[in-house]
Amino acid sequence: MATNRKAAMGFIFITLLIDITGFGLIIPVMPKLIEQLLGVSSISLASQYGGWLTFAYAFMQFIFAPVMGNLSDRYGRRPVLLFSLFGFGIDYLFLSFAPSIAWLFVGRLIAGITGASFTTASAYIADISTPENRAQNFGMIGAAFGLGFIIGPLIGGLLGELGPRVPFIVAACLALANWLYGYFVLPESLDKEHRRQFEWRRANPLGSLLQLKKYPGVAGLIVSLVLVYLAAHAVQSNWSFFNIEKFQWTPKMIGISLGVVGLLVGVVQGGLIRIVNPRLGNEKSVYIGLGLYALGLLLFAFASQSWMMFVFLIPYCLGGIAGPALQSIISGHVPPNEQGELQGALTSLMSATSIIGPLMMTNLFAYFTGPKAPVYFPGAAFLLGSLFMLLSTIWAYYALRGEKKQPVK
């Protein structure tokens, strides 16, 4: 059984690695492609469109993620994950050959509908994990993310020198190759006896979120997680735009910086978390990680030299010990045959914050770099993200303290 679980973790790790590599390929060139399709040379304007593109993806994922999560509880993780990977391949093809900005939105809408790879992968990991190794196994998602972000952006930055569309074509090929890999190699993780009937009332975003009420202690931690998701968009939605605006970074430089992000995330979540989490425990890992996130974002906001962005990545990426620990605590409240529903609900929450977060952060960036700004401050979004991380720490503290006070049943 232990051998089968290790093999399954290897399969899901490679699947996510290829998926994230394809995603990382396109990040360094997205601002330039938006500018090209708009026919303008304005990073402030491109950042606003970038926010709306993320909104389009997130809105569709918010609607469809619980459907995919519930389908995976009914039919198994494997078919849903394969469907998701195929959708990403189609999305990248749309982005590769888009003749106008409208076609970028079409591609993002398709990806949002099918984009359940992380939802299903999280449920897959929950299926094959024990209480003792759940946090470490969830950390493998971060490790795949980190390694994919070493490979993807570095290659994307280099390919971007050949033209802003080249990385999208390569990403499409990777996504479709990943789909074929999963079709032939990826095993099913959810036994038929652990599956449940599909129910529409539990498969809509609101119904899925309402199901979280069944699990004591989850609601408060979910609020903390929502604040983390919102804060993360200060980096996810703004990194390229901020560094192009303030430090005149090229796609190649953006790719190198994201490669460093990937390296650090991979070290933290693929290695360090396996040492730190068992010693600190989940609760302390959450507090320390969120504090480091807040510090890193604050430092980004006031960076005055290009090299500082690389140095300040260290405390920010060390904050990555918080996410798997928080997710482990939450998933520990849920039975095995409802992990897909839980992960679908969490993805819906993440998507809901991705509806709000990118628009909030990119418009804040656009405002404070635009002609009407009372003061020129490109780092405004990072400062707001730091505040959100501090609020998340406080909320997690009170939620976990309240859980300890509950009588044992």
Side-chain angles (χ1 to χ4, degrees), residues 145-155 255 258-264 266-267:
F145 176 91
L147 187 55
F149 256 62
I150 296 171
I151 301 168
L154 283 174
I155 297 175
L258 291 174
V260 173
V261 171
L263 177 62
L264 291 173
V267 169

Side-chain angles (χ1 to χ4, degrees), residues 12 18 30 32-33 50 89 96 100 105 135 178-179 188 202 222 229 232 235 248 265 270 335 339 344:
I12 205 71
I18 298 173
M30 182 62 89
K32 292 299 180 185
L33 180 60
S96 300
S100 67
F105 281 95
N178 195 11
W179 169 66
E188 180 55 66
R202 299 170 72 171
I222 291 297
Y229 289 154
V235 175
Q248 293 75 52
V265 170
Q339 286 292 335

Side-chain angles (χ1 to χ4, degrees), residues 292-355:
L292 287 166
Y293 269 145
L295 175 62
L297 286 164
L298 184 66
L299 292 171
F300 288 152
F302 295 100
S304 58
Q305 300 291 328
S306 184
W307 60 266
M308 292 181 179
M309 299 302 290
F310 288 89
V311 175
F312 298 159
L313 280 171
I314 296 173
Y316 180 78
C317 291
L318 283 172
I321 65 172
L326 192 54
Q327 196 169 11
S328 177
I329 295 171
I330 293 171
S331 68
H333 288 76
V334 179
N337 68 341
E338 296 181 6
Q339 286 292 335
E341 180 181 50
L342 170 68
Q343 300 304 332
L346 293 179
T347 302
S348 286
L349 280 174
M350 184 168 61
S351 299
T353 61
S354 295
I355 293 170

Side-chain angles (χ1 to χ4, degrees), residues 150-348:
I150 296 171
I151 301 168
L154 283 174
I155 297 175
L158 293 172
L159 292 175
E161 301 292 309
L162 304 175
R165 295 178 186 269
V166 176
F168 292 90
I169 297 171
V170 176
C173 294
L174 271 179
L176 294 174
N178 195 11
W179 169 66
L180 285 173
Y181 167 80
Y183 181 82
F184 288 108
V185 177
L186 191 68
E188 180 55 66
S189 66
L190 186 66
D191 296 333
K192 289 185 178 181
E193 58 266 26
H194 288 130
R195 298 179 189 181
R196 62 175 178 82
Q197 291 297 314
F198 180 86
E199 300 176 55
W200 278 108
R201 67 180 178 83
R202 299 170 72 171
N204 67 78
L206 295 179
S208 180
L209 296 180
L210 289 173
Q211 291 298 317
L212 293 173
K213 288 184 176 180
K214 297 189 300 184
Y215 311 114
V218 166
L221 296 173
I222 291 297
V223 174
S224 179
L225 198 60
V226 166
L227 289 168
V228 172
Y229 289 154
L230 284 172
H233 279 287
V235 175
Q236 293 173 11
S237 302
N238 266 322
W239 184 261
S240 297
F241 298 114
F242 172 85
N243 286 300
I244 290 172
E245 171 69 23
K246 187 158 188 178
F247 302 120
Q248 293 75 52
W249 282 9
T250 63
K252 181 179 178 180
M253 190 65 173
I254 293 169
I256 292 171
S257 71
L258 291 174
V260 173
V261 171
L263 177 62
L264 291 173
V265 170
V267 169
V268 171
Q269 300 206 14
L272 185 62
I273 195 171
R274 294 177 176 272
I275 301 171
V276 171
N277 184 269
R279 295 184 180 181
L280 293 179
N282 284 332
E283 187 174 344
K284 287 183 179 178
S285 294
V286 168
Y287 300 146
I288 294 172
L290 293 177
L292 287 166
Y293 269 145
L295 175 62
L297 286 164
L298 184 66
L299 292 171
F300 288 152
F302 295 100
S304 58
Q305 300 291 328
S306 184
W307 60 266
M308 292 181 179
M309 299 302 290
F310 288 89
V311 175
F312 298 159
L313 280 171
I314 296 173
Y316 180 78
C317 291
L318 283 172
I321 65 172
L326 192 54
Q327 196 169 11
S328 177
I329 295 171
I330 293 171
S331 68
H333 288 76
V334 179
N337 68 341
E338 296 181 6
Q339 286 292 335
E341 180 181 50
L342 170 68
Q343 300 304 332
L346 293 179
T347 302
S348 286

Side-chain angles (χ1 to χ4, degrees), residues 48-62 105 108-109 351-352 354-359:
Q48 290 178 299
Y49 273 88
W52 282 108
L53 283 165
T54 305
F55 169 87
Y57 172 81
F59 181 77
M60 298 307 289
Q61 191 175 65
F62 175 71
F105 281 95
R108 292 282 79 190
L109 291 172
S351 299
S354 295
I355 293 170
I356 302 167
L359 292 178

Side-chain angles (χ1 to χ4, degrees), residues 377-398:
F377 185 36
F382 293 135
L383 186 59
L384 180 61
S386 181
L387 177 61
F388 282 162
M389 287 295 185
L390 288 175
L391 291 174
S392 177
T393 309
I394 295 168
W395 204 285
Y397 172 76
Y398 281 106

